[in-house]
Amino acid sequence: LLYERHGEAAAVVQLKDLEVPKLGDCDVHVKMLAAPINPADINMIQGTYPILSPLPAVGGNEGVGEVLEVGHRVTALKPGDWVIPANAGLGTWRTRGVFPEEMLLKVPSDIPVLCAATLSVNPCTAFRLLADFESLVPGDSVIQNAANSGVGQAVIQIARASGIKTINVVRDRPDLPKLVERLMALGADHIVTEEMLRKPEMKDIFKSIPRPRLALNCVGGKSTTEMLRHLQPKGTMVTYGGMAKQPVMVPVSAFIFRDVRLRGFWITQWRKDHVQDQESVAAMMDALCQLIRGGQLTAPACTEVPLQDYRAALEASMKPFVSSKQILLL
């Protein structure tokens, strides 16, 4: 799926037949199996993301493929192995590709294909958010907004497996009871709407669990300010997205009297910073694959779409209140 100019995804992305390039000595020929449509993919096509691929570009930053053939200097991969992108910008919305070996990470092929296809962005982001900013111990709590997003669903499950309680903020919607049921089934401890953040009932939650030391924000605007009120003194709020396209507003008192910390996180930058530290990357991937094998981490709610129906999938991924991730089957 190729785009030659930036613009609205459904308008500029086209399905094209291209020749598969020749296999170089250090290259790997991959048959792509499945690739999701993420908000960052859409932003790259629109031309609004901090990293952009040179045009014409193939869409998609995430997915899983099977190795068909390797160049004779490739040592870490062999035919039959499953691989995911090592970095953003690979262009995963394609049936076949030839990539340099260092652009791929091997993953176990005994995990479900949809888990592998959605492994490198959301679960990795969730893992780092929970690990890198506060040293959380069993019994601690975190609060997060957009709890039904891909990252939100992964945070709930990873926290649950570590004995950490989650307070999950979602937007009010027509099918709220259904969403609540689904997030509870993933292991959410408490689910509140953005409106409830201001209500006295929030105090009831903190009778049974401590106030959170960590808040995870991917929305911005008013709901973020409200979420911050519930953070413990000296707690940290990490912003990793801005779905509301509104700034984060913080009362001065939160800084002076509660000494809260505001941080940011971008998984693409984390990967760049850890290029020389493959041990950290491998440890994270191992931990996530173990959770998947143990049934403690599942793929986000997905809608599987054949490649030729890509336009409908792109349009569906832009609709509000959609908790289901569109996955292209290649």
Side-chain angles (χ1 to χ4, degrees), residues 264-327:
F265 181 76
W266 187 30
I267 190 70
T268 304
Q269 188 61 47
W270 186 89
R271 287 189 196 287
K272 279 187 192 150
D273 295 346
H274 291 78
V275 166
Q276 301 306 321
D277 177 13
Q278 283 310 301
E279 272 176 33
S280 292
V281 178
M284 169 173 70
M285 293 320 239
D286 284 351
L288 291 170
C289 288
Q290 288 287 47
L291 290 173
I292 291 168
R293 282 197 202 96
Q296 292 170 292
L297 179 61
T298 55
C302 291
T303 305
E304 298 173 47
V305 184
L307 182 62
Q308 58 271 25
D309 298 340
Y310 72 92
R311 200 161 264 135
L314 287 170
E315 280 164 3
S317 71
M318 305 286 283
K319 289 199 176 96
F321 298 125
V322 172
S323 302
S324 187
K325 197 179 277 292
Q326 305 290 311
I327 304 259

Side-chain angles (χ1 to χ4, degrees), residues 22 28 32 35-36 40 46 62 70 76 86-87 114-115 128 208 215 219 224 227 261 270 277 287 304 321:
K22 262 183 60 165
V28 180
M32 292 304 296
Q46 291 165 337
E62 190 180 32
V70 300
N87 299 303
L114 293 181
C115 288
R128 302 264 53 109
S208 60
V219 179
T224 303
M227 190 167 71
R261 286 146 228 261
W270 186 89
D277 177 13
E304 298 173 47
F321 298 125

Side-chain angles (χ1 to χ4, degrees), residues 6-75:
H6 295 300
E8 280 316 307
V12 300
V13 171
Q14 291 172 316
L15 188 54
K16 290 221 163 140
D17 282 325
L18 302 173
E19 287 283 308
V20 176
K22 262 183 60 165
L23 190 71
D25 289 352
C26 301
D27 289 344
V28 180
H29 182 186
V30 177
K31 171 184 186 283
M32 292 304 296
L33 302 171
I37 299 175
N38 290 321
D41 303 328
I42 302 288
N43 296 150
M44 279 177 84
I45 296 164
Q46 291 165 337
T48 59
Y49 205 62
I51 51 165
L52 298 176
S53 301
L55 299 175
V58 177
N61 288 297
E62 190 180 32
V64 63
E66 183 184 333
V67 174
L68 294 178
E69 199 186 347
V70 300
H72 68 82
R73 289 174 64 185
V74 172
T75 52

